[in-house]
Short mmCIF file of all heavy atoms in Angstrom, two decimals:
data_model
loop_
_atom_site.label_atom_id
_atom_site.label_comp_id
_atom_site.label_asym_id
_atom_site.label_seq_id
_atom_site.Cartn_x
_atom_site.Cartn_y
_atom_site.Cartn_z
N MET A 1 12.37 -9.26 1.34
CA MET A 1 12.15 -8.73 2.68
C MET A 1 12.46 -7.27 2.74
O MET A 1 13.43 -6.80 2.16
CB MET A 1 13.01 -9.50 3.67
CG MET A 1 12.49 -9.41 5.12
SD MET A 1 13.57 -10.33 6.23
CE MET A 1 12.35 -11.25 7.15
N LYS A 2 11.66 -6.52 3.45
CA LYS A 2 11.80 -5.08 3.52
C LYS A 2 12.93 -4.72 4.50
O LYS A 2 13.04 -5.29 5.56
CB LYS A 2 10.49 -4.48 4.00
CG LYS A 2 10.33 -3.01 3.61
CD LYS A 2 9.99 -2.89 2.14
CE LYS A 2 9.90 -1.40 1.80
NZ LYS A 2 10.14 -1.14 0.39
N THR A 3 13.72 -3.70 4.07
CA THR A 3 14.75 -3.25 4.99
C THR A 3 14.12 -2.40 6.07
O THR A 3 13.05 -1.84 5.91
CB THR A 3 15.81 -2.41 4.26
OG1 THR A 3 15.16 -1.48 3.43
CG2 THR A 3 16.69 -3.30 3.40
N SER A 4 14.78 -2.35 7.20
CA SER A 4 14.18 -1.62 8.34
C SER A 4 14.11 -0.13 8.07
O SER A 4 14.88 0.47 7.35
CB SER A 4 15.06 -1.88 9.57
OG SER A 4 16.35 -1.31 9.40
N THR A 5 13.11 0.47 8.71
CA THR A 5 12.90 1.88 8.54
C THR A 5 13.51 2.61 9.73
O THR A 5 13.45 2.16 10.87
CB THR A 5 11.37 2.17 8.50
OG1 THR A 5 10.81 1.43 7.43
CG2 THR A 5 11.09 3.64 8.29
N LEU A 6 14.07 3.74 9.44
CA LEU A 6 14.65 4.57 10.52
C LEU A 6 13.53 5.13 11.40
O LEU A 6 12.49 5.51 10.93
CB LEU A 6 15.43 5.74 9.91
CG LEU A 6 16.74 5.44 9.19
CD1 LEU A 6 17.25 6.70 8.54
CD2 LEU A 6 17.76 4.94 10.17
N THR A 7 13.80 5.16 12.69
CA THR A 7 12.82 5.77 13.59
C THR A 7 13.39 7.05 14.18
O THR A 7 12.68 7.89 14.63
CB THR A 7 12.46 4.80 14.75
OG1 THR A 7 13.67 4.32 15.35
CG2 THR A 7 11.67 3.64 14.22
N ARG A 8 14.72 7.18 14.09
CA ARG A 8 15.35 8.43 14.57
C ARG A 8 16.30 8.94 13.49
O ARG A 8 16.95 8.14 12.83
CB ARG A 8 16.17 8.17 15.82
CG ARG A 8 15.33 8.03 17.06
CD ARG A 8 16.24 7.82 18.24
NE ARG A 8 16.86 9.04 18.63
CZ ARG A 8 16.96 9.45 19.88
NH1 ARG A 8 16.49 8.67 20.85
NH2 ARG A 8 17.54 10.57 20.18
N CYS A 9 16.41 10.21 13.41
CA CYS A 9 17.33 10.81 12.44
C CYS A 9 18.77 10.65 12.93
O CYS A 9 19.08 11.11 14.04
CB CYS A 9 16.98 12.29 12.27
SG CYS A 9 18.18 13.14 11.23
N PRO A 10 19.61 9.97 12.14
CA PRO A 10 21.01 9.78 12.56
C PRO A 10 21.77 11.11 12.61
O PRO A 10 22.80 11.19 13.29
CB PRO A 10 21.60 8.86 11.47
CG PRO A 10 20.42 8.30 10.76
CD PRO A 10 19.32 9.31 10.87
N ALA A 11 21.28 12.11 11.95
CA ALA A 11 21.99 13.37 11.92
C ALA A 11 21.69 14.27 13.12
O ALA A 11 22.55 14.83 13.73
CB ALA A 11 21.65 14.11 10.62
N CYS A 12 20.37 14.38 13.48
CA CYS A 12 20.00 15.34 14.55
C CYS A 12 19.22 14.65 15.69
O CYS A 12 18.96 15.27 16.68
CB CYS A 12 19.17 16.49 13.97
SG CYS A 12 17.50 16.05 13.52
N GLY A 13 18.91 13.35 15.54
CA GLY A 13 18.24 12.64 16.63
C GLY A 13 16.74 12.82 16.64
O GLY A 13 16.08 12.33 17.58
N SER A 14 16.19 13.57 15.72
CA SER A 14 14.74 13.80 15.69
C SER A 14 13.98 12.50 15.47
O SER A 14 14.43 11.63 14.75
CB SER A 14 14.40 14.80 14.58
OG SER A 14 13.01 14.83 14.36
N ARG A 15 12.80 12.42 16.07
CA ARG A 15 11.95 11.24 15.88
C ARG A 15 10.88 11.51 14.83
O ARG A 15 9.97 10.70 14.63
CB ARG A 15 11.28 10.87 17.19
CG ARG A 15 12.26 10.27 18.18
CD ARG A 15 11.54 9.92 19.48
NE ARG A 15 12.50 9.46 20.48
CZ ARG A 15 12.88 8.18 20.59
NH1 ARG A 15 12.41 7.30 19.76
NH2 ARG A 15 13.74 7.82 21.54
N SER A 16 10.93 12.65 14.18
CA SER A 16 9.91 13.01 13.20
C SER A 16 10.20 12.46 11.82
O SER A 16 9.46 12.76 10.86
CB SER A 16 9.78 14.54 13.08
OG SER A 16 9.80 15.12 14.35
N ILE A 17 11.27 11.70 11.71
CA ILE A 17 11.67 11.20 10.39
C ILE A 17 10.56 10.38 9.74
O ILE A 17 9.85 9.66 10.40
CB ILE A 17 12.96 10.39 10.54
CG1 ILE A 17 13.64 10.22 9.19
CG2 ILE A 17 12.70 9.06 11.20
CD1 ILE A 17 15.12 9.86 9.30
N ARG A 18 10.39 10.60 8.46
CA ARG A 18 9.33 9.90 7.78
C ARG A 18 9.75 9.35 6.44
O ARG A 18 10.70 9.86 5.82
CB ARG A 18 8.13 10.81 7.58
CG ARG A 18 8.37 11.94 6.61
CD ARG A 18 7.18 12.81 6.50
NE ARG A 18 6.79 13.36 7.83
CZ ARG A 18 5.77 14.16 8.03
NH1 ARG A 18 4.95 14.47 7.05
NH2 ARG A 18 5.49 14.62 9.23
N ARG A 19 9.05 8.33 6.00
CA ARG A 19 9.38 7.67 4.72
C ARG A 19 8.52 8.34 3.64
O ARG A 19 7.33 8.47 3.79
CB ARG A 19 9.02 6.19 4.84
CG ARG A 19 9.62 5.35 3.75
CD ARG A 19 9.58 3.87 4.17
NE ARG A 19 10.27 3.10 3.17
CZ ARG A 19 11.58 2.84 3.25
NH1 ARG A 19 12.27 3.26 4.26
NH2 ARG A 19 12.16 2.13 2.30
N VAL A 20 9.16 8.71 2.57
CA VAL A 20 8.44 9.33 1.47
C VAL A 20 8.77 8.67 0.16
O VAL A 20 9.79 7.99 0.03
CB VAL A 20 8.76 10.86 1.35
CG1 VAL A 20 8.32 11.60 2.60
CG2 VAL A 20 10.22 11.06 1.05
N ARG A 21 7.92 8.88 -0.83
CA ARG A 21 8.17 8.34 -2.16
C ARG A 21 7.94 9.48 -3.14
O ARG A 21 6.82 9.87 -3.39
CB ARG A 21 7.21 7.19 -2.41
CG ARG A 21 7.49 6.44 -3.72
CD ARG A 21 6.39 5.45 -4.00
NE ARG A 21 6.47 4.24 -3.17
CZ ARG A 21 7.18 3.18 -3.52
NH1 ARG A 21 7.82 3.14 -4.64
NH2 ARG A 21 7.24 2.14 -2.74
N LYS A 22 9.05 10.04 -3.56
CA LYS A 22 8.99 11.22 -4.44
C LYS A 22 10.05 11.09 -5.50
O LYS A 22 10.99 10.34 -5.35
CB LYS A 22 9.24 12.51 -3.62
CG LYS A 22 8.15 12.83 -2.65
CD LYS A 22 8.28 14.27 -2.16
CE LYS A 22 9.61 14.52 -1.47
NZ LYS A 22 9.62 15.86 -0.84
N PRO A 23 9.90 11.87 -6.57
CA PRO A 23 10.98 11.90 -7.56
C PRO A 23 12.24 12.41 -6.92
O PRO A 23 12.22 13.25 -6.05
CB PRO A 23 10.46 12.90 -8.63
CG PRO A 23 8.99 12.94 -8.42
CD PRO A 23 8.76 12.74 -6.95
N PHE A 24 13.36 11.87 -7.36
CA PHE A 24 14.65 12.25 -6.84
C PHE A 24 15.56 12.69 -7.95
O PHE A 24 15.74 12.01 -8.95
CB PHE A 24 15.27 11.03 -6.11
CG PHE A 24 16.70 11.25 -5.70
CD1 PHE A 24 16.99 12.13 -4.68
CD2 PHE A 24 17.75 10.60 -6.34
CE1 PHE A 24 18.32 12.32 -4.26
CE2 PHE A 24 19.06 10.79 -5.96
CZ PHE A 24 19.34 11.67 -4.92
N ARG A 25 16.12 13.88 -7.81
CA ARG A 25 17.02 14.41 -8.80
C ARG A 25 18.46 14.36 -8.29
O ARG A 25 18.72 14.70 -7.12
CB ARG A 25 16.67 15.86 -9.14
CG ARG A 25 15.89 15.98 -10.45
CD ARG A 25 15.82 17.38 -10.91
NE ARG A 25 15.05 18.19 -9.97
CZ ARG A 25 13.75 18.29 -9.98
NH1 ARG A 25 13.05 17.63 -10.89
NH2 ARG A 25 13.12 19.03 -9.08
N ALA A 26 19.34 13.91 -9.13
CA ALA A 26 20.76 13.85 -8.72
C ALA A 26 21.62 14.27 -9.86
O ALA A 26 21.31 14.05 -11.03
CB ALA A 26 21.09 12.44 -8.26
N ARG A 27 22.74 14.84 -9.53
CA ARG A 27 23.72 15.25 -10.53
C ARG A 27 24.73 14.14 -10.69
O ARG A 27 25.39 13.72 -9.72
CB ARG A 27 24.41 16.52 -10.08
CG ARG A 27 24.60 17.51 -11.15
CD ARG A 27 25.26 18.75 -10.60
NE ARG A 27 26.29 19.21 -11.54
CZ ARG A 27 26.02 19.82 -12.68
NH1 ARG A 27 24.77 20.08 -13.03
NH2 ARG A 27 27.00 20.17 -13.48
N VAL A 28 24.90 13.66 -11.91
CA VAL A 28 25.87 12.61 -12.18
C VAL A 28 26.77 13.11 -13.28
O VAL A 28 26.39 13.19 -14.44
CB VAL A 28 25.17 11.34 -12.63
CG1 VAL A 28 26.22 10.24 -12.89
CG2 VAL A 28 24.16 10.87 -11.58
N GLY A 29 27.99 13.49 -12.90
CA GLY A 29 28.92 14.05 -13.88
C GLY A 29 28.33 15.36 -14.40
O GLY A 29 28.06 16.28 -13.67
N THR A 30 28.10 15.38 -15.72
CA THR A 30 27.56 16.58 -16.34
C THR A 30 26.05 16.49 -16.55
O THR A 30 25.42 17.44 -16.98
CB THR A 30 28.22 16.81 -17.70
OG1 THR A 30 28.02 15.64 -18.50
CG2 THR A 30 29.71 17.04 -17.53
N ARG A 31 25.50 15.37 -16.22
CA ARG A 31 24.06 15.16 -16.39
C ARG A 31 23.31 15.30 -15.09
O ARG A 31 23.85 15.13 -14.00
CB ARG A 31 23.78 13.76 -16.95
CG ARG A 31 24.41 13.48 -18.29
CD ARG A 31 24.03 12.08 -18.73
NE ARG A 31 24.46 11.06 -17.72
CZ ARG A 31 23.79 9.94 -17.48
NH1 ARG A 31 22.65 9.72 -18.11
NH2 ARG A 31 24.24 9.08 -16.62
N THR A 32 22.01 15.56 -15.21
CA THR A 32 21.14 15.52 -14.06
C THR A 32 20.11 14.43 -14.35
O THR A 32 19.48 14.44 -15.39
CB THR A 32 20.41 16.83 -13.84
OG1 THR A 32 21.38 17.87 -13.63
CG2 THR A 32 19.53 16.77 -12.58
N ILE A 33 20.03 13.50 -13.44
CA ILE A 33 19.07 12.39 -13.63
C ILE A 33 17.89 12.58 -12.70
O ILE A 33 18.02 13.20 -11.64
CB ILE A 33 19.73 11.01 -13.36
CG1 ILE A 33 20.23 10.96 -11.93
CG2 ILE A 33 20.80 10.74 -14.37
CD1 ILE A 33 20.49 9.56 -11.47
N THR A 34 16.75 12.06 -13.09
CA THR A 34 15.59 12.07 -12.24
C THR A 34 15.06 10.66 -12.10
O THR A 34 14.80 9.99 -13.10
CB THR A 34 14.50 12.96 -12.80
OG1 THR A 34 14.99 14.27 -12.96
CG2 THR A 34 13.31 13.02 -11.87
N ILE A 35 14.95 10.20 -10.88
CA ILE A 35 14.42 8.86 -10.62
C ILE A 35 13.02 9.08 -10.10
O ILE A 35 12.80 9.69 -9.06
CB ILE A 35 15.25 8.13 -9.59
CG1 ILE A 35 16.70 8.03 -10.05
CG2 ILE A 35 14.66 6.73 -9.32
CD1 ILE A 35 17.61 7.40 -9.02
N PRO A 36 11.99 8.59 -10.82
CA PRO A 36 10.62 8.78 -10.34
C PRO A 36 10.32 7.87 -9.18
O PRO A 36 10.72 6.71 -9.15
CB PRO A 36 9.77 8.39 -11.60
CG PRO A 36 10.64 7.48 -12.39
CD PRO A 36 12.07 7.85 -12.09
N ASN A 37 9.64 8.41 -8.23
CA ASN A 37 9.18 7.66 -7.07
C ASN A 37 10.27 6.86 -6.35
O ASN A 37 10.17 5.66 -6.14
CB ASN A 37 8.08 6.66 -7.52
CG ASN A 37 6.89 7.40 -8.06
OD1 ASN A 37 6.50 8.43 -7.52
ND2 ASN A 37 6.27 6.88 -9.11
N LEU A 38 11.30 7.56 -5.95
CA LEU A 38 12.34 6.90 -5.14
C LEU A 38 11.95 7.02 -3.69
O LEU A 38 11.71 8.09 -3.17
CB LEU A 38 13.69 7.58 -5.38
CG LEU A 38 14.83 6.92 -4.60
CD1 LEU A 38 15.14 5.54 -5.21
CD2 LEU A 38 16.08 7.76 -4.62
N GLU A 39 11.90 5.86 -3.03
CA GLU A 39 11.50 5.84 -1.64
C GLU A 39 12.71 6.07 -0.75
O GLU A 39 13.76 5.48 -0.92
CB GLU A 39 10.89 4.44 -1.34
CG GLU A 39 9.90 4.49 -0.22
CD GLU A 39 9.19 3.14 -0.05
OE1 GLU A 39 9.26 2.32 -0.98
OE2 GLU A 39 8.62 2.96 1.01
N ARG A 40 12.59 6.99 0.17
CA ARG A 40 13.68 7.25 1.14
C ARG A 40 13.10 7.92 2.35
O ARG A 40 11.93 8.30 2.42
CB ARG A 40 14.77 8.12 0.48
CG ARG A 40 14.42 9.60 0.32
CD ARG A 40 13.97 9.87 -1.07
NE ARG A 40 14.04 11.31 -1.39
CZ ARG A 40 13.49 11.84 -2.46
NH1 ARG A 40 12.77 11.10 -3.29
NH2 ARG A 40 13.61 13.10 -2.71
N GLU A 41 13.96 8.07 3.37
CA GLU A 41 13.54 8.71 4.63
C GLU A 41 13.97 10.16 4.61
O GLU A 41 15.09 10.50 4.16
CB GLU A 41 14.21 8.02 5.84
CG GLU A 41 14.52 6.57 5.65
CD GLU A 41 13.40 5.68 6.09
OE1 GLU A 41 12.43 6.19 6.70
OE2 GLU A 41 13.43 4.49 5.81
N ILE A 42 13.11 11.03 5.09
CA ILE A 42 13.45 12.45 5.14
C ILE A 42 13.20 12.94 6.57
O ILE A 42 12.16 12.65 7.17
CB ILE A 42 12.62 13.25 4.13
CG1 ILE A 42 13.09 12.93 2.72
CG2 ILE A 42 12.76 14.76 4.41
CD1 ILE A 42 12.41 13.77 1.66
N CYS A 43 14.14 13.68 7.09
CA CYS A 43 13.96 14.30 8.39
C CYS A 43 13.45 15.74 8.18
O CYS A 43 14.14 16.55 7.60
CB CYS A 43 15.30 14.34 9.15
SG CYS A 43 15.19 15.25 10.68
N PRO A 44 12.24 16.03 8.67
CA PRO A 44 11.67 17.37 8.47
C PRO A 44 12.36 18.42 9.30
O PRO A 44 12.22 19.63 9.04
CB PRO A 44 10.20 17.19 8.89
CG PRO A 44 10.18 16.03 9.80
CD PRO A 44 11.34 15.13 9.38
N ASP A 45 13.11 17.99 10.29
CA ASP A 45 13.78 18.97 11.19
C ASP A 45 15.08 19.50 10.56
O ASP A 45 15.33 20.70 10.58
CB ASP A 45 14.03 18.37 12.54
CG ASP A 45 12.71 18.12 13.27
OD1 ASP A 45 11.75 18.84 12.97
OD2 ASP A 45 12.69 17.22 14.13
N CYS A 46 15.95 18.60 10.09
CA CYS A 46 17.21 19.08 9.56
C CYS A 46 17.30 18.92 8.03
O CYS A 46 18.32 19.22 7.45
CB CYS A 46 18.38 18.32 10.21
SG CYS A 46 18.49 16.57 9.81
N LYS A 47 16.19 18.43 7.42
CA LYS A 47 16.09 18.30 5.95
C LYS A 47 17.04 17.29 5.39
O LYS A 47 17.28 17.25 4.18
CB LYS A 47 16.33 19.66 5.26
CG LYS A 47 15.52 20.80 5.80
CD LYS A 47 14.03 20.55 5.56
CE LYS A 47 13.25 21.79 6.04
NZ LYS A 47 11.95 21.48 6.52
N GLU A 48 17.62 16.45 6.26
CA GLU A 48 18.50 15.42 5.76
C GLU A 48 17.72 14.28 5.12
O GLU A 48 16.58 14.00 5.54
CB GLU A 48 19.33 14.89 6.92
CG GLU A 48 20.59 14.13 6.54
CD GLU A 48 21.66 15.07 6.00
OE1 GLU A 48 22.03 16.03 6.69
OE2 GLU A 48 22.10 14.83 4.87
N GLU A 49 18.28 13.72 4.06
CA GLU A 49 17.61 12.60 3.41
C GLU A 49 18.48 11.35 3.56
O GLU A 49 19.70 11.44 3.48
CB GLU A 49 17.38 12.88 1.94
CG GLU A 49 16.46 14.07 1.72
CD GLU A 49 16.04 14.21 0.25
OE1 GLU A 49 16.31 13.30 -0.54
OE2 GLU A 49 15.41 15.24 -0.04
N PHE A 50 17.84 10.23 3.78
CA PHE A 50 18.57 8.99 3.98
C PHE A 50 18.09 7.92 3.00
O PHE A 50 16.88 7.71 2.86
CB PHE A 50 18.38 8.50 5.42
CG PHE A 50 18.80 9.55 6.41
CD1 PHE A 50 17.86 10.38 6.98
CD2 PHE A 50 20.13 9.71 6.73
CE1 PHE A 50 18.23 11.38 7.86
CE2 PHE A 50 20.51 10.73 7.61
CZ PHE A 50 19.57 11.54 8.17
N PHE A 51 19.04 7.26 2.41
CA PHE A 51 18.72 6.25 1.40
C PHE A 51 19.07 4.88 1.91
O PHE A 51 20.18 4.65 2.38
CB PHE A 51 19.50 6.55 0.12
CG PHE A 51 19.21 7.92 -0.41
CD1 PHE A 51 20.04 8.99 -0.08
CD2 PHE A 51 18.10 8.16 -1.19
CE1 PHE A 51 19.78 10.25 -0.53
CE2 PHE A 51 17.83 9.43 -1.63
CZ PHE A 51 18.65 10.51 -1.30
N ASP A 52 18.11 4.02 1.87
CA ASP A 52 18.37 2.65 2.32
C ASP A 52 18.97 1.84 1.16
O ASP A 52 19.24 2.35 0.08
CB ASP A 52 17.10 1.98 2.89
CG ASP A 52 16.02 1.85 1.86
OD1 ASP A 52 16.29 2.04 0.63
OD2 ASP A 52 14.88 1.57 2.26
N ARG A 53 19.17 0.57 1.40
CA ARG A 53 19.79 -0.30 0.41
C ARG A 53 19.05 -0.31 -0.90
O ARG A 53 19.65 -0.21 -1.98
CB ARG A 53 19.83 -1.71 1.01
CG ARG A 53 20.76 -2.68 0.33
CD ARG A 53 20.76 -4.00 1.04
NE ARG A 53 20.88 -5.07 0.09
CZ ARG A 53 22.01 -5.32 -0.57
NH1 ARG A 53 23.07 -4.62 -0.36
NH2 ARG A 53 22.05 -6.33 -1.43
N GLU A 54 17.76 -0.41 -0.83
CA GLU A 54 16.96 -0.43 -2.06
C GLU A 54 17.09 0.85 -2.86
O GLU A 54 17.18 0.83 -4.07
CB GLU A 54 15.47 -0.66 -1.73
CG GLU A 54 15.17 -2.09 -1.33
CD GLU A 54 13.70 -2.20 -0.87
OE1 GLU A 54 12.87 -1.58 -1.51
OE2 GLU A 54 13.45 -2.92 0.11
N ALA A 55 17.08 1.95 -2.13
CA ALA A 55 17.21 3.24 -2.80
C ALA A 55 18.56 3.38 -3.44
O ALA A 55 18.67 3.87 -4.57
CB ALA A 55 17.00 4.37 -1.79
N ASN A 56 19.60 2.93 -2.78
CA ASN A 56 20.95 2.99 -3.33
C ASN A 56 21.06 2.12 -4.60
O ASN A 56 21.74 2.51 -5.56
CB ASN A 56 21.97 2.57 -2.28
CG ASN A 56 22.33 3.70 -1.38
OD1 ASN A 56 22.73 4.79 -1.81
ND2 ASN A 56 22.17 3.52 -0.09
N ILE A 57 20.45 0.97 -4.53
CA ILE A 57 20.46 0.09 -5.72
C ILE A 57 19.77 0.77 -6.89
O ILE A 57 20.25 0.74 -8.03
CB ILE A 57 19.83 -1.28 -5.40
CG1 ILE A 57 20.71 -2.05 -4.45
CG2 ILE A 57 19.56 -2.08 -6.66
CD1 ILE A 57 20.04 -3.30 -3.81
N ALA A 58 18.67 1.42 -6.62
CA ALA A 58 17.92 2.11 -7.65
C ALA A 58 18.74 3.26 -8.24
O ALA A 58 18.76 3.46 -9.45
CB ALA A 58 16.59 2.64 -7.11
N ILE A 59 19.41 3.97 -7.37
CA ILE A 59 20.27 5.08 -7.83
C ILE A 59 21.41 4.56 -8.68
O ILE A 59 21.68 5.09 -9.79
CB ILE A 59 20.80 5.89 -6.63
CG1 ILE A 59 19.66 6.60 -5.92
CG2 ILE A 59 21.86 6.89 -7.11
CD1 ILE A 59 20.04 7.21 -4.57
N ASP A 60 22.06 3.52 -8.22
CA ASP A 60 23.16 2.93 -8.99
C ASP A 60 22.70 2.47 -10.36
O ASP A 60 23.36 2.68 -11.36
CB ASP A 60 23.74 1.72 -8.24
CG ASP A 60 24.78 2.18 -7.21
OD1 ASP A 60 25.04 3.40 -7.14
OD2 ASP A 60 25.29 1.33 -6.49
N ALA A 61 21.53 1.81 -10.37
CA ALA A 61 21.00 1.30 -11.64
C ALA A 61 20.74 2.44 -12.63
O ALA A 61 21.00 2.33 -13.80
CB ALA A 61 19.72 0.49 -11.37
N TYR A 62 20.26 3.52 -12.07
CA TYR A 62 19.96 4.69 -12.91
C TYR A 62 21.22 5.35 -13.42
O TYR A 62 21.31 5.76 -14.57
CB TYR A 62 19.11 5.69 -12.14
CG TYR A 62 17.75 5.84 -12.70
CD1 TYR A 62 16.72 4.96 -12.36
CD2 TYR A 62 17.47 6.85 -13.64
CE1 TYR A 62 15.48 5.06 -12.90
CE2 TYR A 62 16.22 6.96 -14.18
CZ TYR A 62 15.22 6.08 -13.82
OH TYR A 62 13.99 6.19 -14.35
N CYS A 63 22.20 5.47 -12.53
CA CYS A 63 23.41 6.18 -12.88
C CYS A 63 24.30 5.36 -13.80
O CYS A 63 24.90 5.89 -14.72
CB CYS A 63 24.20 6.50 -11.63
SG CYS A 63 23.39 7.69 -10.56
N PHE A 64 24.41 4.07 -13.54
CA PHE A 64 25.39 3.25 -14.22
C PHE A 64 24.81 2.16 -15.11
O PHE A 64 25.47 1.63 -15.96
CB PHE A 64 26.35 2.67 -13.22
CG PHE A 64 26.98 3.66 -12.30
CD1 PHE A 64 26.66 3.68 -10.96
CD2 PHE A 64 27.82 4.64 -12.83
CE1 PHE A 64 27.19 4.65 -10.13
CE2 PHE A 64 28.35 5.61 -11.98
CZ PHE A 64 28.06 5.62 -10.63
N GLY A 65 23.56 1.82 -14.85
CA GLY A 65 22.97 0.72 -15.61
C GLY A 65 22.53 1.14 -16.98
O GLY A 65 22.75 0.46 -17.94
N LYS A 66 21.94 2.34 -17.05
CA LYS A 66 21.46 2.83 -18.35
C LYS A 66 22.45 3.78 -18.96
O LYS A 66 23.18 4.48 -18.29
CB LYS A 66 20.12 3.57 -18.10
CG LYS A 66 19.02 2.69 -17.57
CD LYS A 66 17.78 3.51 -17.39
CE LYS A 66 16.63 2.63 -16.88
NZ LYS A 66 15.43 3.44 -16.65
N SER A 67 22.43 3.82 -20.27
CA SER A 67 23.22 4.76 -21.06
C SER A 67 24.58 5.05 -20.46
O SER A 67 24.84 6.17 -20.03
CB SER A 67 22.46 6.07 -21.28
OG SER A 67 22.18 6.66 -20.04
N ARG A 68 25.43 4.04 -20.43
CA ARG A 68 26.79 4.28 -19.93
C ARG A 68 27.55 5.18 -20.85
O ARG A 68 27.41 5.11 -22.08
CB ARG A 68 27.51 2.93 -19.79
CG ARG A 68 27.14 2.23 -18.52
CD ARG A 68 27.83 0.89 -18.40
NE ARG A 68 29.22 1.05 -18.02
CZ ARG A 68 30.01 -0.01 -17.76
NH1 ARG A 68 29.53 -1.20 -17.86
NH2 ARG A 68 31.24 0.16 -17.37
N GLN A 69 28.34 6.01 -20.23
CA GLN A 69 29.14 6.96 -21.02
C GLN A 69 30.60 6.69 -20.82
O GLN A 69 31.02 6.11 -19.84
CB GLN A 69 28.83 8.39 -20.57
CG GLN A 69 27.43 8.81 -20.97
CD GLN A 69 27.22 10.28 -20.50
OE1 GLN A 69 27.60 10.64 -19.42
NE2 GLN A 69 26.63 11.09 -21.34
N ARG A 70 31.40 7.17 -21.79
CA ARG A 70 32.83 7.06 -21.65
C ARG A 70 33.32 8.02 -20.54
O ARG A 70 32.82 9.12 -20.42
CB ARG A 70 33.51 7.41 -22.96
CG ARG A 70 33.47 6.26 -23.95
CD ARG A 70 33.99 6.70 -25.31
NE ARG A 70 33.04 7.68 -25.91
CZ ARG A 70 33.42 8.68 -26.66
NH1 ARG A 70 34.68 8.90 -26.91
NH2 ARG A 70 32.51 9.46 -27.21
N ALA A 71 34.30 7.57 -19.78
CA ALA A 71 34.78 8.41 -18.73
C ALA A 71 35.63 9.57 -19.28
O ALA A 71 36.26 9.41 -20.31
CB ALA A 71 35.58 7.61 -17.74
ZN1 ZN B 101 17.37 15.32 11.36
#
């Protein structure tokens, strides 16, 4: 089942928030990872990005699921 989509930006209250599917780059420790086609909500007004449950699971899997490193 699909998680609900935001209709208002929790940060600034804008209703222009939209769902996008784009590559996502994140810094994890000393590495930078890129997740292709990560779906998330972006507010065009304040540039805030919001990750739903699925997106967070994908990020976790990328960061910790693959190529684990010693701390
Ligand atoms: Zn906003």
Side-chain angles (χ1 to χ4, degrees):
M1 202 180 227
K2 202 76 182 156
T3 47
S4 64
T5 302
L6 289 173
T7 52
R8 285 181 75 136
C9 174
C12 73
S14 168
R15 289 179 185 274
S16 316
I17 197 159
R18 68 182 58 181
R19 195 164 185 89
V20 297
R21 188 188 283 271
K22 291 196 299 188
F24 171 70
R25 259 193 296 276
R27 221 179 137 75
V28 181
T30 56
R31 299 181 302 146
T32 301
I33 59 163
T34 303
I35 303 175
N37 298 321
L38 182 70
E39 207 173 343
R40 74 263 199 191
E41 330 270 350
I42 290 184
C43 173
D45 292 335
C46 68
K47 310 296 185 210
E48 199 71 55
E49 298 190 8
F50 303 97
F51 303 95
D52 62 13
R53 195 176 144 72
E54 286 175 39
N56 277 306
I57 290 170
I59 292 168
D60 276 358
Y62 246 84
C63 294
F64 307 112
K66 297 180 178 178
S67 62
R68 279 178 78 173
Q69 290 181 317
R70 281 172 292 147

